[in-house]
């Protein structure tokens, strides 16, 4: 186990209840089941209050970091989100996206450092929308909230992050997402070098965190570097570098803080396999990649397909089997109300069993 | 009756100050917070640039202090001072005719530079750890094996705004060169790298030593500060830096990463300064009255400075300064 | 001398991001872009702090400033408290304002970003939506994404009661009133102006490059897909 | 495997990787001319360089790369040198820089 001690010096106040929830562009696109699970876990398992306000929008952070949305604009969009939160009577802002979390931190810090920018933002918001705003009492990423309740979740665990056959802890690679704490190290649990937000969940739920040489390296999203096709060689190369670096540790799965990172670490395994035939994972079918909501959902006994694990390119079944989770293989790719809607084409990192039951014990 | 001068700190600076005072016919009393005299020099192996054993210097100073019959209070922590008195943690108060502050410095805690993983990753050590290993006669990796590739990193806790240490600690450059040579002597087959931003060879014979390290010992110097250290699966340390002279990122794994830790101001400088009305520099070190004609005087009459309490200094410089401080303090006391 | 530097300094990110660089290279040592492009953030900061107009103009017109992925890995490490990533953001913003971005291959890609992400924000209130991620433009999204894309209502319907409809939930359609607020925010805060600037200069450059229709769909697809491979 | 047209390939890393680079040639060069190891990277050679003022030739950079085991293109670069010898006059460490050029060309002709 990693000798992480310094994380305790980077603590932050995380509200206990009454969250104003902001959705993530990437998470709702690729991991809608994770956003649903977050709300369900908070409301149903933990009895917390959370508002999913239909009026809120993207923070436009992907546009900002693609340099097409100016700083003044994104500050005003952020101000509108705060105004909506005020209007709804909430003061604890939680966002489901690392890019957004970085944006909110950056905007609040910029307003603090350069008060004239806050003034200008108030002016812009009023002019554009007639709105005013107060800053949130607390700002957290959704994983911070999950971390905050990790022991309650552990107490209700149906499964633990251990190999059900051997009883050994599962080896987990955690990927934090650069904008969680690299921009403002004090805003993330554990700081920028040894962030503890995911490690804390993993350790609470029985798993073992793997430290590897490229742990802190970026997944390679790089905004314009993925969004523009001509630049994607950069994006895949960075994930490739990470996967190569973690592979010798034989991780059972990867868990990501940031929805973009989760998506890339999943999808690039497919692309690398198609491009150069390299596959990762013990059986050559990829290293499963989870979001922390999915990890929490599995621990709490949620059905894998209700969590949306069928939306991953890399099969998660080997992991489910290791954890001793019961699931219906045939139900994986069904539509609403069990409707048959066809299956994805088979690929190296996605066996897509038509009638075989996936069993690593064979 | 002999004048009495209180010397706070029993390291190299304090001992030399007291010796000089005794020589001048003044009665010094050394107040040392540790159970024994010696300060930071205890635990050091050999001194640059001559590879003189630290023990040799230390033994000589202690012997002379002993022979001169100088009064020494050990395990005595000073909590406040005035030009003619010093208050100890146990409530005792000492009186004298002037005070010399020779409280030295604090070694930078390398674990604060989290990106290097000191205290977390095996085989990441500090220059002070290495000196201890030299003294113990056992220099090895955590698993007991001999290192084949060693990297030294300069400026850890120096010239670094991120850890509130903007000053240069001065002696680490030459220490890095010295330790690299010692390692090369112990492990002739090993590759030794020094990662630096500037090599500041300020003393006599230092530049020559640097050249010798390059030419005779084949020690590699890479101009670039290490960005991060990470563990490898085989218990080594992967480091990343920019080779700034080629403008390319550089990566390698090493068996041992030695952090050349800097000298920072003591935490209790602030409290002592406040109580006595003394000025401090922005670095936290005590500020001399002026840097030329009053560099061993404080801004308060009757309080003097010797050694690294005012800035990072080498042993040689400290010894010289202690002599000057003793003379100034004695002159004040006699007046 | 110093004209561009002064313009850059109007950006608060420059004031926050550039104090005085001592060329130690810690930024480049961990930079994902330096790893895969002929790129060195230390040198960018070093050039900018010379305040030399010719040198900065050359930067503003170069591919160099467009390699950074804005991961900000440089920020927590700099011993001088600089943020090369912020300096890049300020350079990019200025390059677009002055129309210099179209002078480089990577800079010209801003048009694609504006049309894909920028317009989607104004249309939907989100940077991206599933229908935007067309499998033919995103083959790396893989076979499962193709299946999701083909069956979006069935797949998303399991996780959101309001897929592409009004109400609370994932991937909902945002109400018109809110979208209007966002559009007006873009109008009053310079967002719309930035979009227009990108279009205007792209159109000029496209014609200069022989695209008779200016910055049309063909031009956009070319900047989106073409790679001269001279960046490494 | 179906050939999918992705429109890009995985970019190659350009970091100097001292775990992979073979330093054999570099060691040979330093053995023949140990004084090269005394370079302090001051750049005087490059500042005065006749060829460097006319081309992109950067002597300091090239020989540093060679010492790191980055041999690719070094021979071609060193061919830009006009062998005027001014660098040798300015080197504060007295390195026979002209000799370094000749040596690197001799050792790395086949790279």
């Amino acid at each position: 186990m990693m000798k992480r001690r310094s994380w305790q010096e980077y603590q932050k106040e995380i509200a206990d209840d009454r969250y104003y929830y902001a959705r993530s562009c990437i998470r709702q696109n690729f991991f809608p089941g994770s956003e649903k699970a977050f709300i369900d876990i908070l409301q149903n398992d933990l009895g917390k209050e959370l508002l999913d306000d239909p009026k809120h929008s993207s923070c436009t952070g992907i546009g900002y970091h693609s340099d097409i949305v100016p700083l003044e604009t994104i500050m005003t969009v952020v101000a509108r989100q705060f105004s909506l939160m005020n209007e709804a009577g909430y003061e604890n802002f939680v966002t489901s996206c690392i890019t957004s979390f970085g944006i909110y931190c950056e905007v609040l810090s910029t307003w603090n450092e350069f008060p004239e920018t806050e003034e200008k933002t108030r002016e812009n918001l009023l002019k554009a929308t007639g709105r005013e705003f107060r800053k949130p009492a607390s700002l957290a990423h959704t994983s911070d909230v999950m971390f905050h309740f990790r022991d309650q979740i552990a107490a209700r665990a149906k499964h633990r992050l251990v190999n059900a056959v051997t009883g050994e802890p599962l080896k987990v690679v955690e990927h934090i997402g650069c904008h969680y704490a690299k921009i403002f190290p004090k805003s993330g649990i554990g700081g920028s070098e040894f962030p503890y937000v995911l490690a804390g969940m993993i350790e609470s739920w029985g798993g073992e965190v793997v430290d590897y040489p490229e742990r802190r390296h970026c997944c390679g999203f790089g905004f314009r570097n993925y969004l523009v096709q001509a630049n994607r060689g950069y994006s895949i190369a960075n994930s490739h570098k990470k996967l190569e670096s973690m592979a010798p540790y034989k991780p059972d799965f990867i868990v990501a803080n940031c929805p973009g990172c989760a998506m890339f670490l999943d999808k690039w395994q497919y692309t690398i396999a198609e491009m150069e035939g390299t596959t990762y994972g013990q059986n050559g079918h990829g290293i499963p990649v989870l979001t922390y909501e999915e990890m929490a959902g599995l621990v709490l006994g949620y059905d894998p397909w209700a969590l949306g694990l069928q939306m991953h390119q890399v099969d998660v079944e080997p992991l489910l089997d290791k954890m001793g989770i019961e699931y219906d293989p045939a139900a994986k790719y069904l539509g609403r109300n069990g409707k048959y809607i066809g299956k994805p084409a088979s690929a190296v990192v996605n066996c897509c069993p038509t009638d075989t039951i996936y069993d690593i014990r064979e | 009756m002999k004048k009495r001068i209180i010397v706070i700190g029993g390291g190299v600076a304090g001992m030399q100050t007291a010796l000089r005072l005794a020589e001048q016919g003044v009665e010094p009393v050394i107040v040392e917070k540790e159970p024994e005299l010696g300060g930071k020099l205890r635990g050091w192996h050999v001194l640059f640039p001559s590879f003189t054993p630290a023990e040799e210097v230390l033994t000589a100073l202690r012997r002379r202090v002993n022979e001169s019959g100088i009064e020494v209070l050990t395990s005595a922590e000073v909590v406040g001072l005035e030009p003619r008195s010093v208050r100890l943690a146990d409530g005792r108060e000492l009186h004298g005719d002037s005070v010399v502050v020779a409280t030295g410095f604090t070694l930078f805690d390398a674990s604060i530079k989290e990106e290097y993983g000191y205290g977390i990753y095996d085989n990441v050590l500090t220059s002070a750890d290495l000196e201890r290993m030299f003294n113990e006669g056992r220099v090895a990796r955590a698993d007991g094996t001999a290192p084949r590739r060693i990297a030294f990193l300069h400026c850890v806790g120096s010239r670094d705004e991120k850890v509130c240490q903007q000053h240069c600690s001065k002696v680490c450059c030459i220490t890095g060169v010295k330790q690299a040579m010692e390692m090369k002597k112990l492990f002739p087959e090993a590759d030794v790298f020094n990662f630096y931003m500037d090599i500041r060879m300020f003393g006599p014979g230092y530049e020559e030593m640097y050249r010798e390290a390059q030419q005779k010992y084949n020690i590699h110097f890479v101009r670039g500060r290490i960005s991060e250290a990470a563990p490898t699966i085989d218990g080594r340390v992967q480091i990343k830096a920019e080779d700034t002279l080629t403008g390319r990122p550089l990566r390698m794994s090493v068996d041992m990463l030695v952090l050349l830790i800097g000298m920072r101001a003591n935490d209790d400088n602030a409290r002592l300064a406040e109580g006595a009305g003394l000025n401090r520099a922005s670095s936290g070190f005590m500020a001399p009255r002026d840097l030329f004609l009053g560099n061993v005087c404080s801004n308060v009459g009757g309080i003097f400075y010797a050694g690294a309490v005012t800035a990072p200094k080498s042993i040689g410089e400290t010894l010289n300064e202690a002599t000057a401080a003793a003379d100034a303090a004695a002159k004040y006391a006699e007046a | 001398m110093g004209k561009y530097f002064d313009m850059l300094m109007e950006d608060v990110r420059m004031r926050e991001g550039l104090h005085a660089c001592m060329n130690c290279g810690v930024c480049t040592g961990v930079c994902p872009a330096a790893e895969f492009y002929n790129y060195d953030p230390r040198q960018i900061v070093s050039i900018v702090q010379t305040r030399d107009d010719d040198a900065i103009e050359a930067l503003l017109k170069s591919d160099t400033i467009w390699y950074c992925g804005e991961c900000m890995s440089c920020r927590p490490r700099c011993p001088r408290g600089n943020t090369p990533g912020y300096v890049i953001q300020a350079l990019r913003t200025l390059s677009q304002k002055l129309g210099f971005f179209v002078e480089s291959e990577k800079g010209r890609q801003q048009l694609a970003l504006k049309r894909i992400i920028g317009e989607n924000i104004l249309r939907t209130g989100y940077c991206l939506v599933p229908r935007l991620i067309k499998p033919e433009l995103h083959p790396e999204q893989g076979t499962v994404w193709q299946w999701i894309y083909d069956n979006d209502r069935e797949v998303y319907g399991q996780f959101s009661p309001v897929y592409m409809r009004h109400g609370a939930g994932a991937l909902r359609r945002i109400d018109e009133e809110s979208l209007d607020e966002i559009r007006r925010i873009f109008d009053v805060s310079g967002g719309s102006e930035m979009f227009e600037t990108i279009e205007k200069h792209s159109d000029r450059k496209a014609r200069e490059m022989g695209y008779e229709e200016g910055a049309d769909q063909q031009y956009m697809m070319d900047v989106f897909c073409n790679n001269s491979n001279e960046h490494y | 495997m179906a050939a999918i047209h992705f429109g890009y390939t995985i970019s190659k890393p350009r970091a100097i990787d001292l775990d992979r680079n073979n330093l054999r040639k570099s060691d040979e060069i330093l053995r023949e001319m140990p004084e090269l190891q005394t370079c302090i990277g001051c750049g005087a050679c490059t500042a005065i360089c006749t060829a460097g003022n006319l081309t992109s030739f950067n002597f300091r950079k090239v020989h540093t790369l060679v010492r790191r085991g980055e041999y690719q293109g070094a021979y071609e670069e060193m061919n830009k040198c006009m062998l005027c010898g001014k660098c040798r006059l300015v080197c504060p460490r007295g390195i026979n820089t002209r000799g370094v050029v000749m040596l690197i060309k001799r050792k790395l002709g086949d790279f």
Side-chain angles (χ1 to χ4, degrees):
Chain A
M1 199 153 295
M2 235 187 274
K3 299 181 211 160
R4 297 165 183 264
R5 285 173 306 224
S6 56
W7 73 272
Q8 288 161 347
E9 288 157 29
Y10 294 89
Q11 290 288 8
K12 65 177 187 183
E13 285 294 311
I14 298 164
D16 288 316
D17 204 352
R18 290 187 51 78
Y19 307 102
Y20 185 88
Y21 182 63
R23 287 186 182 273
S24 150
C25 299
I26 296 186
R27 204 182 294 278
Q28 62 174 354
N29 259 273
F30 294 98
F31 306 103
S34 293
E35 292 208 338
K36 182 173 188 305
F38 180 78
I39 297 175
D40 288 347
I41 291 170
L42 250 67
Q43 292 180 336
N44 305 337
D45 294 270
L46 301 167
K48 303 293 174 186
E49 201 187 316
L50 172 149
L51 182 69
D52 181 12
D53 182 354
K55 284 192 282 209
H56 83 284
S57 69
S58 165
C59 73
T60 71
I62 294 174
Y64 174 69
H65 284 296
S66 301
D67 305 279
I68 54 162
V69 172
L71 179 59
E72 281 197 355
T73 302
I74 196 165
M75 288 197 291
T76 317
V77 173
V78 164
R80 177 178 177 271
Q81 308 274 72
F82 291 158
S83 171
L84 292 170
M85 177 188 68
N86 302 152
E87 194 176 273
Y90 284 76
E91 52 181 16
N92 304 319
F93 199 93
V94 294
T95 172
S96 167
C97 168
I98 292 296
T99 301
S100 284
F101 179 67
I103 293 290
Y104 289 107
C105 291
E106 182 182 337
V107 168
L108 288 171
S109 152
T110 305
W111 287 344
N112 186 44
E113 199 84 7
F114 305 97
E116 69 277 13
T117 60
E118 182 178 339
E119 278 316 299
K120 184 70 188 165
T121 305
R122 290 186 182 280
E123 209 176 285
N124 283 340
L125 185 68
L126 191 67
K127 198 166 152 200
T129 68
R131 291 178 176 278
E132 293 180 351
F133 73 94
R134 289 189 312 280
K135 288 178 239 177
S138 78
L139 169 69
H141 184 250
T142 41
S143 60
D144 294 332
V145 177
M146 204 72 98
F147 172 87
H148 192 54
F149 295 122
R150 67 194 185 286
D151 293 334
Q152 281 99 310
I153 292 171
R156 298 161 160 269
K158 298 268 194 320
H159 303 282
R160 286 167 48 79
L161 302 176
V162 296
N163 186 311
V165 177
T166 65
E168 291 285 309
L170 295 181
K171 284 191 276 185
V172 190
V173 158
E174 30 110 51
H175 180 80
I176 293 302
C178 296
H179 290 195
Y180 176 69
K182 284 183 185 171
I183 313 182
F184 298 97
K186 290 195 174 68
S187 64
I189 294 159
S192 67
E193 304 298 341
F194 294 94
Y196 194 66
V197 60
L198 298 182
M201 291 184 223
I202 294 163
E203 289 175 2
S204 279
W205 303 340
E208 186 185 308
V209 178
V210 171
D211 196 357
Y212 64 106
E214 299 296 343
R215 173 175 59 83
R216 290 169 276 200
H217 197 76
C218 174
C219 74
F221 177 19
F223 301 95
R224 67 191 327 283
N225 284 295
Y226 173 74
L227 297 168
V228 176
Q229 192 189 80
N231 305 341
R232 285 179 198 154
Y234 160 100
S235 200
I236 188 171
N238 279 295
S239 276
H240 180 253
K241 179 176 159 130
K242 286 187 76 77
L243 291 162
E244 287 288 326
S245 174
M246 71 175 77
Y249 296 79
K250 298 187 168 52
D252 294 298
F253 69 98
I254 300 167
V255 61
N257 204 20
C258 171
C261 307
M263 185 269 280
F264 287 116
L265 291 168
D266 181 45
K267 302 294 170 66
W268 288 132
Q269 291 191 59
Y270 158 83
T271 313
I272 291 166
E274 293 293 335
M275 277 185 175
E276 55 176 35
T278 309
T279 55
Y280 302 95
Q282 277 121 310
N283 55 9
H285 291 301
I287 306 169
V289 185
L290 299 187
T291 65
Y292 55 87
E293 297 102 321
E294 290 166 347
M295 177 170 75
L298 291 177
V299 165
L300 287 167
Y302 283 51
D303 181 78
W305 315 142
L307 290 168
L309 295 179
Q310 65 276 34
M311 293 177 74
H312 295 209
Q313 179 67 41
V314 176
D315 282 335
V316 294
E317 285 87 337
L319 172 65
L320 302 180
D321 293 338
K322 276 181 202 163
M323 287 176 69
I325 293 172
E326 299 281 329
Y327 59 94
D328 179 0
K332 184 175 184 185
Y333 292 115
L334 296 179
R336 280 176 294 184
N337 306 315
K339 184 181 167 191
Y340 180 76
I341 53 171
K343 293 170 194 295
S346 169
V348 184
V349 291
N350 177 259
C351 299
C352 193
T354 41
D355 43 23
T356 43
I357 290 173
Y358 211 113
D359 191 347
I360 55 146
R361 283 161 293 191
E362 280 177 8
Chain B
M1 197 177 124
K2 269 191 179 177
K3 296 287 180 185
R4 181 173 149 96
I5 294 181
I6 306 165
V7 179
I8 309 174
V12 172
M15 285 191 284
Q16 175 72 3
T17 303
L19 284 170
R20 176 71 177 180
L21 286 170
E23 224 175 271
Q24 305 275 59
V26 177
E27 181 192 317
V29 51
I30 298 176
V31 189
E32 167 58 48
K33 70 173 187 297
E34 299 293 329
E36 60 168 357
L37 294 177
K40 296 288 190 303
L41 202 53
R42 293 174 307 155
W44 221 255
H45 180 234
V46 296
L47 305 177
F48 55 77
S50 54
F51 295 92
T52 304
E55 194 56 37
E56 208 176 301
V57 175
L58 200 51
T59 309
L61 285 170
R62 280 171 171 162
R63 181 177 42 79
R64 289 183 209 164
V65 167
N66 199 21
E67 286 169 1
S68 310
I70 292 168
E71 184 186 354
V72 177
L73 302 180
T74 51
S75 303
E77 193 186 348
V78 172
V79 294
L81 77 151
E82 281 172 40
R84 291 180 185 280
S85 72
V86 157
R87 210 167 56 256
L88 302 184
D90 59 12
R92 274 184 294 172
E93 205 155 303
L94 306 178
H95 296 277
D97 299 289
S98 65
V99 176
V100 178
V101 183
T103 48
F105 64 96
T106 302
L107 277 170
F108 178 77
D109 173 4
S111 65
I112 295 170
K113 287 296 289 176
E114 290 174 87
E115 57 265 49
Y116 304 134
Y118 179 70
I120 295 176
Y121 303 141
D122 291 339
N123 302 314
V124 177
L125 35 149
T126 67
S127 39
D129 295 336
L130 194 56
E131 291 291 334
R132 198 184 54 241
M133 286 177 154
F134 286 140
N135 269 339
E136 288 166 357
R138 185 183 177 277
V139 182
R141 302 173 67 223
D143 64 4
T145 58
R148 278 173 312 182
R149 194 187 249 178
I150 304 149
F152 285 86
L153 172 59
H154 292 232
C155 299
V156 177
S158 303
R159 306 177 72 194
D160 190 344
E161 184 174 310
K162 278 283 153 71
V163 294
C164 305
Q165 304 297 327
Q166 301 205 31
H167 63 277
C168 165
S169 293
K170 194 174 177 179
V171 298
C172 339
C173 280
I174 180 70
T175 302
V177 170
K178 182 203 74 147
Q179 293 191 338
M181 288 166 76
E182 288 180 278
M183 289 303 264
K184 197 75 183 179
K185 285 180 197 164
L186 279 176
F187 308 105
E189 296 303 311
D191 286 318
V192 181
F193 292 80
N194 272 48
F195 286 84
Y196 70 97
M197 294 192 293
D198 299 291
I199 293 282
R200 299 181 167 180
M201 292 290 133
F202 64 96
Y206 296 9
E207 179 69 16
E208 292 84 339
M209 191 170 161
Y210 170 31
R211 189 178 177 132
E212 192 185 355
Q214 290 179 307
Q215 190 159 3
K216 185 171 162 204
Y217 290 86
N218 195 24
I219 291 161
H220 305 278
F221 286 81
V222 181
R223 192 192 173 284
R225 193 165 180 148
I226 295 176
S227 310
E228 68 175 34
T232 66
I233 197 160
D234 53 0
R236 305 174 84 215
V237 183
Q238 176 187 279
I239 54 179
K240 290 182 180 179
E242 182 193 355
D243 184 1
T244 60
L245 299 183
T246 66
R248 301 242 313 256
L250 179 146
R251 182 178 339 119
M252 67 197 287
S253 47
V254 296
D255 296 311
M256 226 184 225
L257 171 62
V258 182
L259 308 174
L260 294 161
I261 46 175
M263 298 161 85
R264 69 175 186 84
N266 293 333
D267 287 332
D268 57 7
N269 279 4
R271 194 188 44 183
L272 293 179
E274 198 177 338
L278 297 166
N279 293 338
R280 280 191 311 144
S282 58
S283 59
F285 285 95
M286 303 307 250
R289 197 180 69 206
D290 76 71
L291 291 172
F292 302 101
L293 300 176
N295 59 0
V296 294
C297 307
S298 76
N299 58 302
V300 174
I303 299 179
F304 299 86
Y305 296 131
V309 69
T310 52
K313 288 184 187 82
S314 69
I315 299 291
E317 290 169 330
T318 297
L319 290 168
N320 290 348
E321 203 177 88
T323 307
D327 289 353
K331 195 173 162 196
Y332 178 90
E334 303 286 356
Chain C
M1 178 102 173
K3 174 182 66 172
Y4 293 129
F5 185 81
D6 292 345
M7 289 165 96
L8 286 168
M9 271 300 176
E10 285 167 23
D11 194 320
V12 292
R13 291 170 297 193
M14 274 289 287
R15 278 179 262 160
E16 176 68 26
L18 178 61
H19 306 293
C21 166
M22 56 179 168
N23 279 293
C24 71
V26 288
C27 49
T28 303
V30 286
C31 176
E35 176 91 13
F36 297 108
Y37 290 120
N38 182 11
Y39 174 68
D40 186 341
R42 171 184 60 83
Q43 288 178 20
I44 305 246
V45 172
S46 198
I47 290 168
V48 170
Q49 77 177 4
T50 64
R51 309 186 182 207
D52 183 277
D53 273 337
D54 291 340
I56 297 177
E57 184 172 323
L59 260 189
L60 294 168
K61 290 180 174 171
S62 71
D63 281 317
T64 313
I65 60 168
W66 300 101
Y67 295 140
C68 163
E70 298 192 10
C71 69
M72 302 296 171
S73 300
C74 48
R75 180 169 157 88
R77 301 274 169 74
C78 176
R80 282 283 177 85
N82 302 322
T83 308
Y86 282 172
V87 174
I88 286 288
Q89 287 182 302
L91 285 164
R92 288 175 175 181
T93 301
L94 185 61
S95 175
Q96 292 178 111
K97 276 188 187 157
L98 299 174
F100 290 163
F101 70 103
V102 296
E103 303 307 327
S104 68
E105 177 187 327
K106 296 291 184 195
R108 286 192 285 276
Q109 296 169 342
Q110 289 307 98
L111 178 74
L113 291 161
K114 178 264 167 187
R115 291 212 184 144
I116 297 170
I117 304 298
E119 290 177 12
N120 195 57
I121 292 171
L122 298 183
R123 197 164 53 234
T124 68
Y126 279 95
C127 293
L128 47 121
V129 293
R131 303 314 297 168
L132 195 68
I133 307 159
K134 296 183 175 64
E136 64 270 25
L137 292 177
H138 294 271
E140 67 281 348
Q141 287 291 337
T143 54
V144 176
W145 177 253
Q146 178 79 53
W147 169 79
I148 295 167
Y149 189 85
D150 293 342
N151 300 284
D152 60 336
R153 283 171 198 280
E154 284 298 329
V155 176
Y156 288 112
Q158 297 172 56
F159 308 104
S160 174
V162 291
Y163 177 60
M164 290 173 76
R165 288 187 286 116
H166 294 305
L171 300 164
R172 70 202 182 282
R173 185 186 296 278
I174 295 179
D175 62 281
E176 267 312 304
E177 204 179 316
S178 295
L179 285 175
D180 278 341
E181 287 191 5
I182 291 163
R183 289 173 196 136
R184 283 199 301 273
I185 287 173
F186 270 69
D187 287 341
V188 305
S189 64
S192 305
E193 192 187 338
M194 176 65 92
F195 285 7
E196 285 156 23
T197 305
I198 292 171
E199 284 286 346
K200 184 180 80 187
H201 291 289
S202 298
D203 194 69
R204 167 176 64 77
K205 187 66 185 182
R207 288 173 200 281
E208 201 181 303
M209 290 169 73
Y211 291 85
E212 287 175 9
E213 302 298 315
D216 58 1
Q217 181 68 14
Q218 182 60 46
Y219 173 81
M220 190 197 91
M221 283 314 292
D222 287 349
V223 301
F224 182 76
C225 295
N226 292 352
N227 186 344
S228 66
N229 285 314
E230 286 168 357
H231 309 284
Y232 309 106
Chain D
M1 195 184 296
I4 300 168
H5 177 70
F6 287 101
Y8 53 93
T9 54
I10 304 173
S11 302
K12 297 282 169 280
R14 57 184 281 287
I16 298 169
D17 186 342
L18 289 181
D19 292 347
R20 293 217 174 137
N21 287 1
N22 184 341
L23 295 176
R24 195 174 54 84
K25 286 273 178 192
S26 156
D27 288 342
E28 272 178 32
I29 289 165
L30 286 173
R31 244 198 320 275
E32 284 196 34
M33 211 175 230
E35 66 196 74
L36 179 56
Q37 186 72 314
T38 68
C39 169
I40 51 173
C42 71
C45 51
T46 302
I48 197 104
C49 179
T50 309
N53 279 296
L54 301 169
T55 69
S56 61
F57 178 54
N58 182 327
F59 176 65
R60 181 182 74 179
K61 185 171 171 176
V62 177
H63 81 66
T64 308
L65 283 169
V66 168
R67 283 190 289 143
R68 308 278 184 259
E70 296 278 330
Y71 311 125
Q72 196 71 46
Y75 176 78
E76 289 75 11
E77 279 299 308
M78 286 303 185
N79 265 339
K80 293 178 182 165
C81 167
M82 297 166 152
L83 298 174
C84 70
K86 280 197 286 182
C87 46
R88 192 176 175 181
L89 297 177
V90 296
C91 178
R93 292 286 208 184
I95 299 169
N96 176 4
T97 46
R98 198 167 169 278
V100 170
V101 174
M102 306 294 282
L103 179 62
I104 289 177
K105 279 166 66 168
R106 184 153 57 79
K107 289 282 179 191
L108 298 177
D110 50 350
F111 270 90

